[in-house]
Amino acid sequence: MIHLDFRTWSTIIRNHCVEARHNEALSIFLQNVRCSSGYKPDHQVFAAILKSCTALLAIKLGKVLHGHVVKQGHLSCHSVSKALLNLYAKCGELDDCQRLFGQMGNSDPVNWNIVLSGFSGSRICDAEVMKLFFAMHSGGEAKPNPITIATTLPVCARLLNLYAGKSVHSYVIKSGWETDTLVGNSLVSLYAKCGLVCKDAYAVFTSINHKDVVSWNAIIAGFVENKIMIDALELFRWMLKGPIEPNYATIANILPVCAFLDKDVPYCFGREIHCYVQRRTELLADVSVCNALVSFYLRVGWMEEAESLFRNMISRDLVSWNAIIAGYASHGEWLKALDLFRELLSLEVTGPDSVTVVSILPACAHSQNLHVGKEIHGYILRHPYLCEDTTVGNALVSFYAKCNHVKAAFQTFLMNSERDLISWNSMLDATVGSEYDTQFLGLLNWMLSEGIKPDSITILTIIHFCTSVFRVDKVKETHCYSIKASLLQGDVEPTVGNALLDAYAKCGNIEYAFKIFQSLSEKRNLITCNSMISGYVICGLHDDAYKIFNGMSDADLTTWNLMVRAYAENDSPVQALNVLQELQARGMKPDAVTIVSFLPVCAQMSSGHFLKQCHGYAVRAFFVDVHLKGALLDAYAKCGAINYAYKLFQSSSHKDLVMFTAMVSGYAMHGMGEEALMVFSNMLELCVKPDHVIITAVLSACSHSGLVNEGLKIFNSIENIHGLKPTMEQYACVVDLLARGGKVEDAYSFVARMPIEANATVWGTLLGACRTHHEVELGRLVADRLFEIEADNIGNYVVMSNLYAADARWDGVIEVRKLMRTRDLKKPAGCSWIEVERRENVFIAGDSSHPQRSLIYTTLSTLDQQIKERIHF
């Protein structure tokens, strides 16, 4: 160490402090103290070195110096005591700060301002700031000055305490400071944050005599925060015409405004601002300005420009990386977001923070990248500051839930040190529709016992759960709570109301659904009407669905899709086709749901032409939907084009249960039992677990192909291999299987041995078998049982009558027909149709209205004659 006298060292220390070389000042000071027991700093050195401690937030050293100051009698010096007071205020030691302030007296407004700034800066002592301000105002010894006002008004803004803010404003006017720049800027921010930007904030802004860049930033930010974008842009233009140049904060405020403008306008204005930044080298070098530009380009979807700017930045901070990662994630480019995250980790300059983690975990979830998600979880566990962040814990819960790892989600939820409402909502949502849905109510009760009050998101999750388990009683309980908690009245958009309406409809209580629909008359939106239409369609009330549709002033694609489905389910193919053509005429493009809804219409009309059109449209639109492929396959089979169906099945790289079921059902429909068994066996080899639907389809295929042994083997496997309980429909398939194989007695014995009571379908199948194999006596027993269960089904009477007639049992025929007359039963006319040259031709028994009936009957007569001649020959 160079040997200089104490006075010289003191001068050097003070100069370093003035030049903000705080580390060097502290180093020299400490070396002097250690190396020389005779070194006694004066009050000027103490004041300077305490300022360095404040700048470096070196509170421990500051407290040691406080002891030396007291011992050496320098506390009475104003510069030293103020430096100490400022140290405690800036370092958040508010108790020590207030204690020292009490010892110093209340006559100096600077001391008041230091204490006020300390409490204001903590952001958790806002009420104390207001008490101090009013104590200063009413004390009389020291009066508030512009700095006091500028310190207090932001607290009023944070508290949204407009009354207190206006009281301070009154004091400002009385004191003649309304044109003061510092005070004016604070008032502008106050009124803007309290939503009074157009009149009060703007009036204060115009009254400021010497506006600085902070004044402009405050008023522009105020308009932006209040979503008044056009006026914010006009103010920015006005600023550019004046002497005050925009700074980094101005650019950061105005760029989001450009993103909210319509169509191509955002890009044009954003590019202009970008050009302006490039002309100002100090702005171009500012990382916060570049971050704002990157965020702007990402927000408007110009990904290439955003990445180009990001790559060309002179320096990048963590905010830069967070912006680009979050931007790609928000646009669904999950893999790109993951690549950028890996690149950030490889730099080893700065690690990810909570914002990075919260942005990247959804990318892992959407790409189902469980491995990377777990690695991020490991990184979080190694960094305690991330473990303690509730938003990170919530993001992890959501990630595991979306990857269908509900158990891991629950374990993460339990590990969270703090749980907020979002934590509970995430966990509740994870259990709905999963194998853990039985734990939903227990989890909800736990949440309520913790004193956490449900919000609208919780209610929507509860409604979703009630719908998934068809618990209308729980829907009513949730409805009741929503009314008591004013969640229905508080909704600007009827989100909860729509969800309740949908839940009641899906649970079959259409009356309650309609009551909610009526109660939302003043808040109805498209979703409300769509939910009501969907409810009516689900319940088969198609006429009511038409009424809602006809009363709508606006409709989206969901509405039109519902109407296509409604007409399709109501056997109104022509109307369904008209709706499809109408939605296209209105400029809307059918989506995968539209096509799936319309395909049953093609099957009803047996229209291969329309079916191929739908298939072609789906291919051209690049619809990648397994359910759509399954529906197309099913429609081809129903239209008789089983070979097309098989080609479509074979062309699918990913075959799920839906595809296999559609193919097996198609083969069953065409009596191709061996082919159906082959597809079913292939499915089992691929480890796709069967459900009741495909097993029923396989049994039906075996039945129609006479594969009795194979069918019985499939039936026995339902419980023994697949762990399912046979359904009534499957029992009926076995009865039909045995009956078609000529084993009518075995079929009857099978029914008698059923562990559950046979329904009309099973008995009806057996009666049909009796008629086929002329088992009159057995048929009579079956018919008697059937007439008890299903007295109004005329088909059963007709079958029994035909059975008697085939055996020349005319007394039995008379008896059955008498029973039909007694019960007023009439057989509907038979109907068939065929498509010829893209036109549907319908034929009803007894109807002769077809325009080409003469030619048709002549042709039929000729064919009949040729058949007879062939037989005779």
Side-chain angles (χ1 to χ4, degrees):
M1 184 173 176
I2 302 171
H3 293 286
L4 298 172
D5 60 73
F6 293 150
R7 183 174 294 179
T8 306
W9 282 120
S10 297
T11 304
I12 291 170
I13 290 169
R14 289 199 304 273
N15 289 338
H16 279 355
C17 291
V18 170
E19 294 167 7
R21 295 161 65 183
H22 300 295
N23 282 314
E24 293 175 52
L26 280 177
S27 178
I28 294 168
F29 174 77
L30 292 172
Q31 282 179 342
N32 270 288
V33 171
R34 290 193 193 104
C35 297
S36 176
S37 59
Y39 178 62
K40 290 186 178 180
D42 61 10
H43 67 278
Q44 291 178 318
V45 173
F46 271 119
I49 210 69
L50 282 167
K51 287 178 183 177
S52 292
C53 290
T54 303
L56 299 171
L57 299 177
I59 186 61
K60 289 183 179 179
L61 178 58
K63 287 187 175 183
V64 172
L65 291 175
H66 188 172
H68 284 287
V69 165
V70 173
K71 287 177 184 177
Q72 294 181 29
H74 292 310
L75 193 60
S76 58
C77 176
H78 290 304
S79 60
V80 174
S81 59
K82 285 176 183 175
L84 264 173
L85 191 66
N86 194 42
L87 168 72
Y88 287 129
K90 292 289 191 293
C91 291
E93 298 290 328
L94 300 179
D95 290 339
D96 291 330
C97 179
Q98 202 160 22
R99 194 177 299 114
L100 181 60
F101 175 65
Q103 296 169 9
M104 291 169 64
N106 301 331
S107 59
D108 191 343
V110 175
N111 295 343
W112 282 94
N113 291 342
I114 290 171
V115 177
L116 281 166
S117 67
F119 277 95
S120 175
S122 74
R123 293 181 171 267
I124 57 171
C125 299
D126 290 343
E128 191 63 32
V129 173
M130 300 311 298
K131 287 178 185 176
L132 281 166
F133 174 78
F134 288 117
M136 182 183 182
H137 177 253
S138 59
E141 292 184 49
K143 289 295 181 184
N145 59 22
I147 294 172
T148 318
I149 303 300
T151 306
T152 306
L153 283 172
V155 176
C156 298
R158 277 205 300 269
L159 295 170
L160 296 178
N161 192 337
L162 190 59
Y163 177 78
K166 286 191 172 184
S167 298
V168 176
H169 193 176
S170 300
Y171 180 81
V172 166
I173 294 169
K174 289 175 186 175
S175 304
W177 297 330
E178 60 265 37
T179 59
D180 182 86
T181 305
L182 184 63
V183 172
N185 294 346
S186 299
L187 281 166
V188 169
S189 294
L190 164 74
Y191 286 121
K193 282 184 169 58
C194 290
L196 303 173
V197 67
C198 292
K199 293 183 179 178
D200 299 64
Y202 188 72
V204 173
F205 172 74
T206 54
S207 70
I208 301 172
N209 285 341
H210 303 288
K211 299 178 183 68
D212 61 7
V213 70
V214 178
S215 313
W216 286 98
N217 289 346
I219 192 66
I220 290 171
F223 276 99
V224 173
E225 287 169 8
N226 287 275
K227 311 294 183 192
I228 308 172
M229 303 302 185
I230 301 299
D231 289 354
L233 199 59
E234 286 301 316
L235 280 163
F236 178 67
R237 285 172 173 161
W238 182 18
M239 181 185 184
L240 290 174
K241 294 175 184 177
I244 305 298
E245 288 189 330
N247 66 0
Y248 70 94
T250 324
I251 302 301
N253 279 328
I254 204 64
L255 278 170
V257 174
C258 302
F260 275 97
L261 301 175
D262 294 331
K263 296 182 181 177
D264 295 329
V265 178
Y267 183 67
C268 296
F269 278 117
R271 292 289 290 176
E272 285 182 16
I273 293 169
H274 192 173
C275 291
Y276 176 82
V277 168
Q278 287 182 314
R279 293 195 298 272
R280 296 264 309 275
T281 53
E282 76 278 11
L283 288 178
L284 193 60
D286 192 300
V287 68
S288 63
V289 171
C290 292
N291 290 343
L293 280 165
V294 168
S295 296
F296 160 73
Y297 282 124
L298 290 167
R299 197 170 292 172
V300 296
W302 292 82
M303 313 305 286
E304 290 181 12
E305 284 81 352
E307 186 160 6
S308 174
L309 179 59
F310 173 77
R311 297 295 178 192
N312 292 317
M313 285 173 69
I314 298 166
S315 64
R316 304 185 197 107
D317 59 8
L318 188 55
V319 175
S320 317
W321 285 98
N322 287 345
I324 195 78
I325 289 169
Y328 274 110
S330 65
H331 282 85
E333 297 194 33
W334 314 112
L335 296 178
K336 183 68 177 177
L338 283 167
D339 288 342
L340 284 162
F341 178 71
R342 291 190 186 98
E343 188 179 342
L344 169 63
L345 291 177
S346 68
L347 296 176
E348 296 182 356
V349 177
T350 177
D353 63 359
S354 60
V355 177
T356 328
V357 171
V358 170
S359 299
I360 200 62
L361 279 172
C364 298
H366 283 278
S367 59
Q368 292 292 295
N369 198 329
L370 189 64
H371 177 69
V372 174
K374 285 183 174 180
E375 286 184 348
I376 294 169
H377 193 174
Y379 180 89
I380 292 165
L381 293 173
R382 293 192 298 274
H383 294 79
Y385 71 93
L386 289 174
C387 289
E388 293 167 5
D389 194 308
T390 307
T391 59
V392 171
N394 295 343
L396 275 170
V397 170
S398 180
F399 157 71
Y400 281 119
K402 286 175 181 174
C403 289
N404 298 317
H405 280 251
V406 181
K407 188 175 180 180
F410 188 63
Q411 288 171 342
T412 306
F413 172 77
L414 293 176
M415 287 173 64
N416 285 357
S417 55
E418 288 186 18
R419 303 185 195 100
D420 58 9
L421 183 56
I422 296 171
S423 316
W424 289 97
N425 286 345
S426 300
M427 195 61 241
L428 285 167
D429 185 58
T431 59
V432 177
S434 71
E435 58 184 302
Y436 295 91
D437 59 1
T438 53
Q439 298 176 13
F440 180 89
L441 293 176
L443 196 64
L444 180 61
N445 289 332
W446 181 17
M447 183 189 98
L448 296 173
S449 69
E450 293 278 323
I452 307 290
K453 289 185 70 175
D455 65 354
S456 58
I457 304 298
T458 324
I459 296 301
L460 291 173
T461 308
I462 296 169
I463 294 168
H464 183 200
F465 165 76
C466 299
T467 307
S468 68
V469 294
F470 297 101
R471 288 288 300 274
V472 73
D473 58 323
K474 295 297 179 186
V475 177
K476 288 179 180 179
E477 285 181 24
T478 310
H479 188 181
C480 182
Y481 179 88
S482 301
I483 293 170
K484 288 179 180 176
S486 301
L487 291 172
L488 290 172
Q489 292 86 342
D491 258 354
V492 178
E493 290 290 322
T495 314
V496 174
N498 290 343
L500 283 166
L501 190 161
D502 185 61
Y504 277 125
K506 285 177 178 173
C507 291
N509 195 328
I510 202 69
E511 182 186 348
Y512 272 49
F514 185 65
K515 283 180 180 177
I516 291 182
F517 180 75
Q518 288 179 311
S519 71
L520 296 173
S521 57
E522 295 180 4
K523 290 184 179 180
R524 281 178 203 159
N525 56 17
L526 262 175
I527 297 170
T528 317
C529 296
N530 288 346
S531 297
M532 195 66 242
I533 291 172
S534 176
Y536 280 134
V537 171
I538 289 168
C539 295
L541 301 170
H542 301 103
D543 290 340
D544 294 304
Y546 306 149
K547 286 178 186 176
I548 301 292
F549 177 70
N550 291 331
M552 291 173 67
S553 58
D554 190 23
D556 61 2
L557 187 56
T558 302
T559 320
W560 290 96
N561 288 347
L562 284 166
M563 292 314 300
V564 170
R565 179 184 163 192
Y567 282 119
E569 290 181 359
N570 202 30
D571 295 328
S572 304
V574 176
Q575 290 90 331
L577 180 61
N578 290 340
V579 170
L580 182 62
Q581 291 170 339
E582 177 68 16
L583 79 88
Q584 289 177 295
R586 290 176 180 243
M588 284 184 268
K589 292 184 177 181
D591 62 3
V593 177
T594 320
I595 303 301
V596 169
S597 300
F598 186 73
L599 286 173
V601 174
C602 301
Q604 286 171 19
M605 299 170 72
S606 298
S607 176
H609 171 69
F610 283 132
L611 176 55
K612 287 176 182 177
Q613 278 193 330
C614 289
H615 191 178
Y617 179 85
V619 171
R620 291 192 300 275
F622 299 101
F623 290 151
V624 182
D625 190 304
V626 177
H627 294 283
L628 173 59
K629 279 195 173 183
L632 277 166
L633 199 158
D634 181 64
Y636 273 121
K638 286 177 178 174
C639 287
I642 192 66
N643 291 332
Y644 275 111
Y646 186 66
K647 283 179 183 178
L648 181 61
F649 176 75
Q650 286 293 84
S651 69
S652 178
S653 56
H654 174 70
K655 299 181 182 73
D656 67 350
L657 184 59
V658 174
M659 288 287 289
F660 279 110
T661 303
M663 194 66 246
V664 169
S665 299
Y667 278 135
M669 196 185 307
H670 287 261
M672 302 169 73
E674 291 182 0
E675 289 82 354
L677 281 171
M678 180 188 69
V679 172
F680 184 70
S681 298
N682 181 31
M683 184 195 81
L684 295 179
E685 287 171 7
L686 293 173
C687 298
V688 177
K689 189 176 180 181
D691 64 357
H692 282 300
V693 179
I694 194 166
I695 291 172
T696 305
V698 174
L699 287 172
S700 176
C702 292
S703 174
H704 286 82
S705 303
L707 303 172
V708 177
N709 293 332
E710 291 85 348
L712 290 174
K713 187 178 177 183
I714 293 290
F715 179 79
N716 292 329
S717 73
I718 294 173
E719 199 162 2
N720 298 333
I721 297 175
H722 305 303
L724 302 170
K725 290 286 183 185
T727 65
M728 191 66 74
E729 194 175 0
Q730 287 159 357
Y731 281 115
C733 283
V734 173
V735 170
D736 190 51
L737 176 75
L738 292 168
R740 285 175 185 267
K743 301 180 178 182
V744 183
E745 292 288 343
D746 290 346
Y748 183 76
S749 300
F750 178 81
V751 174
R753 293 195 311 269
M754 278 174 58
I756 53 176
E757 189 175 347
N759 65 3
T761 304
V762 176
W763 287 112
T765 304
L766 189 56
L767 180 61
C770 291
R771 184 211 168 200
T772 303
H773 296 281
H774 302 289
E775 294 284 350
V776 180
E777 291 305 317
L778 185 59
R780 186 175 59 77
L781 292 172
V782 173
D784 288 344
R785 183 79 180 106
L786 198 54
F787 293 162
E788 291 175 15
I789 300 171
E790 203 175 35
D792 296 331
N793 187 344
I794 192 171
N796 298 327
Y797 295 90
V798 172
V799 171
M800 194 61 221
S801 174
N802 291 340
L803 178 58
Y804 278 132
D807 201 47
R809 295 274 295 272
W810 306 114
D811 55 334
V813 173
I814 294 167
E815 184 185 343
V816 171
R817 289 186 178 178
K818 183 179 178 183
L819 194 59
M820 287 170 65
R821 283 195 298 274
T822 304
R823 296 181 180 178
D824 195 26
L825 298 174
K826 293 179 182 178
K827 186 176 182 296
C831 175
S832 63
W833 59 90
I834 188 172
E835 183 185 11
V836 179
E837 294 181 354
R838 301 184 184 180
R839 182 178 174 183
E840 186 184 57
N841 296 268
V842 181
F843 301 97
I844 301 171
D847 178 31
S848 57
S849 60
H850 195 282
Q852 292 179 290
R853 60 185 177 278
S854 298
L855 177 60
I856 291 168
Y857 286 126
T858 302
T859 305
L860 283 171
S861 178
T862 303
L863 288 170
D864 184 50
Q865 185 63 37
Q866 288 176 355
I867 291 168
K868 287 178 180 177
E869 288 173 0
R870 182 70 177 170
I871 293 170
H872 180 71
F873 178 79

